[in-house]
Amino acid sequence: MKTVITYGTFDLFHTGHLNLLKRAKALGDRLIVGVTSDAYDLSRGKLNVLQSCAERIENVRLSGLADLILVEEAEGQKIQDIQKYNADIFAIGSDWIGKFDYLSNLCNVVYLERTKGVSSSNIRNEKFRIIRMGVIGHGRIVPRFLRESKYVSGIEITSVYGRSKTRAEAFAKQHEIAESYDSLDAFLNSVDAVYIAVPHHVHVEYARKALQKGKHVLCEKPMALTEAEVLELQLLARENACIIMEAVKTAYAPAFSQLIHIAKSGAIGTIIAVDASFTKLVTNSRLREYDPKQAGGALTELASYPFLVIAKLLGTNPSRVSFIASMDKHTGVDTFTRAQFIYRNATATATVAIGAKREGDLCISGTKGHIYVPAPWWKTESFEICLENPALNKKHFTRFADDGLRYELAVLVNLIQRGEYTCNYLTNQESAFMARLIEQFRNHLNVDLLSD
Ligand code: CTP
């Protein structure tokens, strides 16, 4: 009995996949097919897979060629599978020539001829017109966003808007963006979606205009400074069949979703406390972070991240929220703020600072153990489930690629292509909650100040 094993994503099952499975099957008596899990595809940078793992498994099953279907969860699993199932032959398409030679001390490695002219990527691109995205603003984050956008297929950054024509033009030229505009109307007419990367206090104004023109919006955090404005934008998005997504990158990162899932699964018992911190020392007081007119300060700048994890784990209805803050005496913006949350059965703190440092970690305490996420937890990559008996501790690792902005963009593309307008990674309620907290702080509600 000769066992053949092969692996793939098998998105939008096509003739290339079918031929490959036929050729692999013909090499032996039994065919095992490994289908990549969604988390594994995300972690290895394959961001635009359209079908879920369950759908892709079904594709393979319907071919009638697989005797056994496995889910491939991580790099390195192939070795275990080959050993476990006693595979005689590892088969894969010729696009991988040489890449799996390292398996040849375990079994026979065969590269099968790839079917020419067909691939899931081509089908995705043909099925969906490339989304034209424009960037509003050309500040510090935009070059990073442009770099990250190259990893996401199905979308192209085609234009940039800035109030100064010459600066927008220079930016477009420097970053090889086809068009630049200083007229917002003309800019919006040229795109399908926008990324809003201007100072916080003008997010709403631009998001409103874009949505009114039927353009999808990816808006830097915080989306707005009041809950009413967030709700207004969400309603506008619904009325215009558009997506509005808040760009809190952590929310879209593969390891963060796993972390939330594991924490809520009872792995550490009932969650009783969440403590998250994010500090970034900003020493140049001329920057936006210190400008009260541009809604500067630690809370508006950084608190979206801890608020996100608190909302995900404890919900959006705390019975009380209070703040302790230290304000900059020259500008009046907060340089250190700790928000304290009381829920019915749990508590949380969010500590943020632009004028002080603290370890940027996250700890989730439960009745049976805790989960520790080391700094920078907001670029979630590794975390440890720690139990009373340390021998039972478990570490998880899923890569967070570079700046991680590619994840939010990939989610946006996926939603647009699927024609879905609600996003589960960061829900409407969670965005509204984050704005409500910012609003409360800015209105000095339950805020205690540290004196000099
Ligand atoms: N394959 C093939 N011929 C094709 C396309 C894929 O033989 N025209 C093979 C691959 O070499 C691999 C298996 O099918 O062994 C699964 O590949 P997968 O990556 O899922 O398919 P692609 O169409 O290459 O996907 P993508 O475009 O997303 O990379």
Side-chain angles (χ1 to χ4, degrees), residues 6-11 14 16-17 20 23 46 91-96 112-122 124:
T6 188
Y7 293 84
T9 303
F10 301 103
D11 189 28
H14 52 67
H17 294 142
L20 185 284
R23 285 170 195 154
K46 197 154 181 170
I92 196 95
S94 50
D95 45 327
W96 293 99
L112 295 167
E113 193 196 333
R114 193 180 151 94
T115 309
K116 293 196 177 54
V118 57
S119 77
S120 304
S121 304
N122 285 350
R124 285 192 290 262

Short mmCIF file of all heavy atoms in Angstrom, two decimals, residues 6-11 14 16-17 20 23 46 91-96 112-122 124, ligand 1:
data_model
loop_
_atom_site.label_atom_id
_atom_site.label_comp_id
_atom_site.label_asym_id
_atom_site.label_seq_id
_atom_site.Cartn_x
_atom_site.Cartn_y
_atom_site.Cartn_z
N THR A 6 -0.18 15.25 -0.08
CA THR A 6 0.02 16.54 -0.75
C THR A 6 -0.67 17.63 0.05
O THR A 6 -1.53 17.34 0.89
CB THR A 6 -0.49 16.52 -2.21
OG1 THR A 6 -0.10 17.74 -2.84
CG2 THR A 6 -2.01 16.41 -2.29
N TYR A 7 -0.28 18.87 -0.22
CA TYR A 7 -0.83 19.99 0.56
C TYR A 7 -1.20 21.15 -0.37
O TYR A 7 -0.62 21.32 -1.43
CB TYR A 7 0.22 20.51 1.55
CG TYR A 7 0.54 19.53 2.64
CD1 TYR A 7 1.49 18.51 2.43
CD2 TYR A 7 -0.08 19.60 3.87
CE1 TYR A 7 1.78 17.60 3.42
CE2 TYR A 7 0.22 18.69 4.88
CZ TYR A 7 1.14 17.70 4.65
OH TYR A 7 1.42 16.80 5.63
N GLY A 8 -2.13 21.99 0.08
CA GLY A 8 -2.45 23.19 -0.68
C GLY A 8 -3.55 23.98 0.00
O GLY A 8 -4.15 23.53 0.98
N THR A 9 -3.81 25.15 -0.55
CA THR A 9 -4.89 26.00 -0.01
C THR A 9 -6.23 25.59 -0.64
O THR A 9 -7.27 25.57 0.01
CB THR A 9 -4.58 27.49 -0.30
OG1 THR A 9 -3.31 27.80 0.26
CG2 THR A 9 -5.62 28.40 0.29
N PHE A 10 -6.19 25.30 -1.94
CA PHE A 10 -7.37 24.84 -2.70
C PHE A 10 -8.52 25.83 -2.61
O PHE A 10 -9.67 25.46 -2.42
CB PHE A 10 -7.81 23.43 -2.26
CG PHE A 10 -6.72 22.41 -2.45
CD1 PHE A 10 -5.99 21.95 -1.38
CD2 PHE A 10 -6.40 21.96 -3.72
CE1 PHE A 10 -4.95 21.03 -1.56
CE2 PHE A 10 -5.38 21.04 -3.92
CZ PHE A 10 -4.65 20.57 -2.82
N ASP A 11 -8.18 27.12 -2.77
CA ASP A 11 -9.20 28.17 -2.79
C ASP A 11 -9.83 28.20 -4.18
O ASP A 11 -9.12 28.11 -5.19
CB ASP A 11 -8.51 29.51 -2.47
CG ASP A 11 -9.50 30.63 -2.24
OD1 ASP A 11 -10.63 30.35 -1.80
OD2 ASP A 11 -9.13 31.80 -2.48
N HIS A 14 -10.07 24.69 -8.83
CA HIS A 14 -10.02 24.82 -10.30
C HIS A 14 -9.37 23.59 -10.94
O HIS A 14 -8.92 22.68 -10.22
CB HIS A 14 -9.30 26.11 -10.70
CG HIS A 14 -7.94 26.29 -10.07
ND1 HIS A 14 -6.88 25.47 -10.35
CD2 HIS A 14 -7.48 27.18 -9.17
CE1 HIS A 14 -5.81 25.86 -9.67
NE2 HIS A 14 -6.16 26.89 -8.93
N GLY A 16 -6.57 23.15 -12.28
CA GLY A 16 -5.17 22.92 -11.87
C GLY A 16 -5.14 22.06 -10.61
O GLY A 16 -4.33 21.12 -10.50
N HIS A 17 -6.03 22.35 -9.67
CA HIS A 17 -6.11 21.55 -8.44
C HIS A 17 -6.53 20.11 -8.77
O HIS A 17 -5.94 19.16 -8.27
CB HIS A 17 -7.14 22.16 -7.48
CG HIS A 17 -6.75 23.51 -6.95
ND1 HIS A 17 -7.65 24.53 -6.75
CD2 HIS A 17 -5.53 24.01 -6.59
CE1 HIS A 17 -7.02 25.59 -6.28
NE2 HIS A 17 -5.74 25.31 -6.18
N LEU A 20 -3.78 18.17 -10.40
CA LEU A 20 -2.73 17.87 -9.41
C LEU A 20 -3.14 16.69 -8.55
O LEU A 20 -2.37 15.75 -8.33
CB LEU A 20 -2.47 19.15 -8.59
CG LEU A 20 -1.34 19.22 -7.55
CD1 LEU A 20 -1.65 18.48 -6.26
CD2 LEU A 20 -0.01 18.76 -8.14
N ARG A 23 -2.99 13.50 -10.55
CA ARG A 23 -1.61 13.05 -10.77
C ARG A 23 -1.02 12.49 -9.47
O ARG A 23 -0.29 11.49 -9.49
CB ARG A 23 -0.74 14.22 -11.25
CG ARG A 23 -1.01 14.55 -12.70
CD ARG A 23 -0.35 15.85 -13.13
NE ARG A 23 -0.94 16.27 -14.39
CZ ARG A 23 -0.99 17.52 -14.81
NH1 ARG A 23 -0.49 18.50 -14.07
NH2 ARG A 23 -1.54 17.82 -15.96
N LYS A 46 -0.53 34.73 3.16
CA LYS A 46 -1.48 34.48 2.07
C LYS A 46 -2.80 35.09 2.53
O LYS A 46 -3.61 34.45 3.21
CB LYS A 46 -1.58 32.97 1.85
CG LYS A 46 -2.19 32.63 0.53
CD LYS A 46 -1.75 31.28 0.02
CE LYS A 46 -2.41 31.03 -1.34
NZ LYS A 46 -1.87 29.88 -2.01
N ALA A 91 3.93 14.72 -2.69
CA ALA A 91 3.77 15.27 -4.04
C ALA A 91 3.28 16.71 -3.95
O ALA A 91 2.48 17.06 -3.08
CB ALA A 91 2.76 14.43 -4.82
N ILE A 92 3.77 17.54 -4.86
CA ILE A 92 3.36 18.96 -4.86
C ILE A 92 3.61 19.51 -6.26
O ILE A 92 4.40 18.97 -7.02
CB ILE A 92 4.17 19.74 -3.77
CG1 ILE A 92 3.54 21.10 -3.42
CG2 ILE A 92 5.63 19.93 -4.13
CD1 ILE A 92 2.63 21.10 -2.26
N GLY A 93 2.95 20.60 -6.61
CA GLY A 93 3.08 21.18 -7.95
C GLY A 93 4.48 21.70 -8.24
O GLY A 93 5.25 22.02 -7.32
N SER A 94 4.78 21.81 -9.52
CA SER A 94 6.14 22.16 -9.94
C SER A 94 6.51 23.60 -9.60
O SER A 94 7.69 23.98 -9.71
CB SER A 94 6.29 21.92 -11.44
OG SER A 94 5.21 22.55 -12.12
N ASP A 95 5.52 24.42 -9.18
CA ASP A 95 5.87 25.79 -8.77
C ASP A 95 6.70 25.77 -7.48
O ASP A 95 7.28 26.76 -7.09
CB ASP A 95 4.62 26.66 -8.58
CG ASP A 95 3.50 25.98 -7.80
OD1 ASP A 95 3.36 24.76 -7.92
OD2 ASP A 95 2.76 26.68 -7.07
N TRP A 96 6.76 24.61 -6.84
CA TRP A 96 7.49 24.49 -5.57
C TRP A 96 8.83 23.77 -5.73
O TRP A 96 9.46 23.42 -4.73
CB TRP A 96 6.63 23.70 -4.56
CG TRP A 96 5.40 24.44 -4.15
CD1 TRP A 96 4.15 24.26 -4.64
CD2 TRP A 96 5.30 25.48 -3.17
NE1 TRP A 96 3.27 25.12 -4.04
CE2 TRP A 96 3.96 25.88 -3.12
CE3 TRP A 96 6.21 26.11 -2.32
CZ2 TRP A 96 3.49 26.88 -2.28
CZ3 TRP A 96 5.76 27.10 -1.47
CH2 TRP A 96 4.42 27.48 -1.46
N LEU A 112 5.11 17.58 -9.28
CA LEU A 112 4.24 17.25 -10.42
C LEU A 112 4.05 18.47 -11.30
O LEU A 112 3.98 19.61 -10.79
CB LEU A 112 2.88 16.78 -9.90
CG LEU A 112 2.92 15.47 -9.10
CD1 LEU A 112 1.62 15.26 -8.37
CD2 LEU A 112 3.19 14.31 -10.05
N GLU A 113 3.91 18.22 -12.58
CA GLU A 113 3.77 19.33 -13.52
C GLU A 113 2.53 20.16 -13.18
O GLU A 113 1.44 19.62 -12.96
CB GLU A 113 3.63 18.77 -14.93
CG GLU A 113 3.79 19.82 -15.98
CD GLU A 113 3.28 19.33 -17.33
OE1 GLU A 113 3.29 18.12 -17.55
OE2 GLU A 113 2.84 20.19 -18.11
N ARG A 114 2.72 21.46 -13.11
CA ARG A 114 1.61 22.35 -12.77
C ARG A 114 0.80 22.62 -14.03
O ARG A 114 1.35 22.73 -15.12
CB ARG A 114 2.22 23.65 -12.23
CG ARG A 114 1.25 24.56 -11.55
CD ARG A 114 2.00 25.81 -11.05
NE ARG A 114 1.10 26.95 -11.03
CZ ARG A 114 0.43 27.32 -9.96
NH1 ARG A 114 0.54 26.67 -8.83
NH2 ARG A 114 -0.36 28.37 -10.02
N THR A 115 -0.52 22.72 -13.92
CA THR A 115 -1.36 23.03 -15.08
C THR A 115 -1.16 24.49 -15.45
O THR A 115 -1.28 25.37 -14.58
CB THR A 115 -2.84 22.76 -14.76
OG1 THR A 115 -2.94 21.45 -14.23
CG2 THR A 115 -3.72 22.93 -15.98
N LYS A 116 -0.86 24.73 -16.71
CA LYS A 116 -0.53 26.11 -17.10
C LYS A 116 -1.78 26.98 -17.20
O LYS A 116 -2.86 26.50 -17.54
CB LYS A 116 0.21 26.09 -18.44
CG LYS A 116 1.55 25.43 -18.28
CD LYS A 116 2.51 25.68 -19.41
CE LYS A 116 3.84 25.03 -19.10
NZ LYS A 116 3.73 23.59 -18.77
N GLY A 117 -1.60 28.25 -16.91
CA GLY A 117 -2.63 29.26 -17.18
C GLY A 117 -3.78 29.33 -16.20
O GLY A 117 -4.76 30.03 -16.47
N VAL A 118 -3.72 28.60 -15.10
CA VAL A 118 -4.82 28.73 -14.14
C VAL A 118 -4.25 28.75 -12.71
O VAL A 118 -3.32 28.02 -12.39
CB VAL A 118 -5.88 27.60 -14.31
CG1 VAL A 118 -5.26 26.23 -14.19
CG2 VAL A 118 -7.02 27.73 -13.31
N SER A 119 -4.79 29.64 -11.91
CA SER A 119 -4.41 29.68 -10.49
C SER A 119 -5.52 30.39 -9.73
O SER A 119 -6.31 31.15 -10.31
CB SER A 119 -3.10 30.43 -10.29
OG SER A 119 -3.32 31.81 -10.39
N SER A 120 -5.59 30.13 -8.44
CA SER A 120 -6.61 30.79 -7.61
C SER A 120 -6.43 32.30 -7.68
O SER A 120 -7.41 33.05 -7.76
CB SER A 120 -6.49 30.34 -6.16
OG SER A 120 -6.58 28.94 -6.06
N SER A 121 -5.17 32.75 -7.69
CA SER A 121 -4.92 34.20 -7.73
C SER A 121 -5.52 34.81 -9.00
O SER A 121 -6.17 35.86 -8.94
CB SER A 121 -3.43 34.50 -7.72
OG SER A 121 -2.84 33.91 -6.61
N ASN A 122 -5.32 34.14 -10.16
CA ASN A 122 -5.89 34.66 -11.41
C ASN A 122 -7.40 34.72 -11.33
O ASN A 122 -8.02 35.69 -11.77
CB ASN A 122 -5.52 33.76 -12.59
CG ASN A 122 -4.08 33.97 -12.98
OD1 ASN A 122 -3.45 34.90 -12.50
ND2 ASN A 122 -3.56 33.07 -13.81
N ARG A 124 -9.29 34.96 -8.72
CA ARG A 124 -9.70 36.04 -7.82
C ARG A 124 -9.61 37.38 -8.54
O ARG A 124 -10.51 38.21 -8.45
CB ARG A 124 -8.82 36.05 -6.56
CG ARG A 124 -9.14 34.94 -5.58
CD ARG A 124 -8.47 35.16 -4.24
NE ARG A 124 -7.02 34.98 -4.30
CZ ARG A 124 -6.38 33.86 -3.94
NH1 ARG A 124 -7.07 32.84 -3.47
NH2 ARG A 124 -5.08 33.77 -4.04
N1 CTP B 1 -1.50 23.61 -8.72
C1 CTP B 1 -1.28 23.05 -9.98
N2 CTP B 1 -1.60 23.77 -11.09
C2 CTP B 1 -2.17 24.98 -11.00
C3 CTP B 1 -2.42 25.56 -9.73
C4 CTP B 1 -2.08 24.83 -8.60
O1 CTP B 1 -0.75 21.96 -10.10
N3 CTP B 1 -2.45 25.65 -12.09
C5 CTP B 1 -1.11 22.86 -7.53
C6 CTP B 1 -0.07 23.55 -6.67
O2 CTP B 1 1.22 23.41 -7.20
C7 CTP B 1 -0.25 22.83 -5.36
C8 CTP B 1 -1.77 22.55 -5.33
O3 CTP B 1 -2.22 22.69 -6.68
O4 CTP B 1 0.43 21.61 -5.39
C9 CTP B 1 -2.50 23.54 -4.43
O5 CTP B 1 -2.10 24.83 -4.79
P1 CTP B 1 -2.72 26.21 -4.31
O6 CTP B 1 -1.65 27.08 -3.81
O7 CTP B 1 -3.89 25.94 -3.47
O8 CTP B 1 -3.28 26.78 -5.73
P2 CTP B 1 -2.94 28.07 -6.58
O9 CTP B 1 -3.94 28.17 -7.67
O10 CTP B 1 -1.50 28.06 -7.00
O11 CTP B 1 -3.20 29.22 -5.52
P3 CTP B 1 -2.68 30.74 -5.46
O12 CTP B 1 -2.86 31.36 -6.80
O13 CTP B 1 -3.54 31.37 -4.37
O14 CTP B 1 -1.23 30.66 -5.04
#
